[in-house]
Amino acid sequence: MKSGLYIVATPIGNMGDISPRAVETLHNADVIACEDTRISKKLLSLLGISLNKTFITLHDHNEDRHLKKIISVIKDENKSVALISDAGSPLISDPGYKLIRACRDENIFITTIPGCCALICALQLSGLPTNRFLFAGFLPVKDKARQDAFLEIKNLKATVVFYETAGRIVKTLETAQEVLGGREMAVAREISKIYEECITGTAEELIRHFSERGAKGEMVLMIAPAEEETTEISRAEMQNQLRQKLQTASLKSAVKEIVEEYGANKNEIYEMALGIKNEK
């Protein structure tokens, strides 16, 4: 196999999703650059690939140091290196871009062997608009930073995608509700595995779902695009109609009726309804 760097996508759950080309590349590569050698060796064993290879770890804490070693292996030893992550497509919220830049600077041969990516799979399952989207990686751990992240994308006219852990998903959805109100969202988890699911709804509905059933597996949180603002004239009219409907109907039903009647922004009407209820 030609010396150079091969960016290889691996399964995110179902082993049947790896391509024959990816298996062939991993089989023929002299060196495997990976995040965790234990996970990578297990993958190769399941694929029936010999472990009699050199493994080099590459993660956020050592990329600057180890990329020089990988470049030396390719240029000085004329060997092939396969770059893989623990699961999915390398470089997507994973280390590697510094290595790619360094290889390009050295005129090293680079190619990609495409395959699974949780980001794309989740978007396909969500039912949210896919013509324009932003991938924002993992959400911050600290409350203030997480809130700022949602404020930053609040008015973005594109579907926004985040990665999140199961342990933080409910808390994250609570923050999303505070900032984004009743905007449509989706959470996909366990993609390609036995318990795969993609739940859509408001943050309130998703919080209830995961609070009742528990949250397990890797999570992908998707948020629908911001909608156009409603004119001030129709706002006053809708507010009056909404106030009347809330006297006899639930908040959810009243919001739904106004949205359907006026073709209004669901998030805006939801926030308007909350304001009317708080007045009482």
Side-chain angles (χ1 to χ4, degrees):
M1 189 163 72
K2 181 178 179 179
S3 65
L5 182 66
Y6 296 76
I7 306 167
V8 184
T10 56
I12 58 176
N14 191 314
M15 287 296 294
D17 292 335
I18 193 166
S19 71
R21 184 172 169 227
V23 175
E24 181 183 10
T25 301
L26 293 175
H27 175 77
N28 293 325
D30 300 307
V31 177
I32 305 294
C34 57
E35 291 179 83
D36 188 324
T37 57
R38 294 167 299 180
I39 293 174
S40 298
K41 286 180 179 180
K42 182 178 179 180
L43 171 66
L44 265 60
S45 294
L46 290 171
L47 295 172
I49 297 174
S50 171
L51 299 182
N52 188 26
K53 298 176 181 291
T54 300
F55 289 81
I56 299 176
T57 58
L58 189 79
H59 48 68
D60 290 331
H61 303 296
N62 70 9
E63 186 173 2
D64 289 327
R65 184 172 73 255
H66 282 197
L67 66 82
K68 296 177 182 178
K69 182 177 181 180
I70 292 172
I71 289 174
S72 176
V73 165
I74 297 171
K75 289 197 70 174
D76 300 336
E77 301 178 32
N78 199 36
K79 290 184 177 181
S80 58
V81 177
L83 172 65
I84 61 176
S85 62
D86 287 345
S89 296
L91 283 83
I92 308 302
S93 261
D94 281 324
Y97 90 89
K98 293 179 182 178
L99 172 61
I100 305 302
R101 288 174 66 91
C103 286
R104 290 176 65 87
D105 290 342
E106 295 289 338
N107 294 316
I108 288 172
F109 170 75
I110 307 170
T111 190
T112 180
I113 293 80
C116 293
C117 178
L119 156 66
I120 301 301
C121 294
L123 277 169
Q124 291 170 330
L125 291 170
S126 71
L128 299 182
T130 56
N131 57 314
R132 187 166 184 249
F133 64 88
L134 168 71
F135 176 56
F138 281 95
L139 277 158
V141 176
K142 293 185 178 180
D143 294 344
K144 179 61 166 60
R146 189 188 302 114
Q147 184 181 54
D148 289 343
F150 285 128
L151 285 169
E152 186 179 351
I153 60 93
K154 182 175 182 179
N155 298 315
L156 192 66
K157 304 298 191 294
T159 298
V160 183
V161 186
F162 295 101
Y163 285 167
E164 186 54 288
T165 64
R168 290 199 298 264
I169 190 65
V170 170
K171 194 169 186 178
T172 290
L173 287 167
E174 289 172 347
T175 305
Q177 184 178 23
E178 293 173 9
V179 177
L180 304 172
R183 187 177 304 187
E184 185 178 15
M185 303 179 190
V187 174
R189 70 177 195 92
E190 296 289 85
I191 299 172
S192 82
K193 301 178 184 178
I194 295 174
Y195 299 107
E196 173 186 285
E197 70 173 350
C198 185
I199 309 299
T200 59
T202 63
E204 181 182 11
E205 291 167 339
L206 293 172
I207 290 168
R208 184 164 57 249
H209 173 84
F210 290 113
S211 296
E212 292 174 354
R213 302 192 182 187
K216 295 181 180 179
E218 298 298 324
M219 302 278 179
V220 183
L221 170 63
M222 294 154 284
I223 298 170
E227 298 180 22
E228 298 298 330
E229 292 292 330
T230 311
T231 65
E232 288 303 316
I233 297 175
S234 60
R235 276 181 63 89
E237 181 181 346
M238 286 188 296
Q239 193 169 38
N240 289 332
Q241 289 291 327
L242 188 56
R243 198 180 300 275
Q244 292 177 25
K245 290 182 184 294
L246 285 170
Q247 293 177 4
T248 56
S250 67
L251 185 145
K252 184 176 181 180
S253 297
V255 168
K256 183 180 179 182
E257 289 178 21
I258 293 296
V259 168
E260 291 177 351
E261 184 176 345
Y262 288 89
N265 181 329
K266 181 180 177 182
N267 306 326
E268 186 178 355
I269 301 304
Y270 182 88
E271 291 177 1
M272 188 185 293
L274 287 178
I276 292 171
K277 290 199 73 174
N278 287 337
E279 288 173 6
K280 297 179 180 180

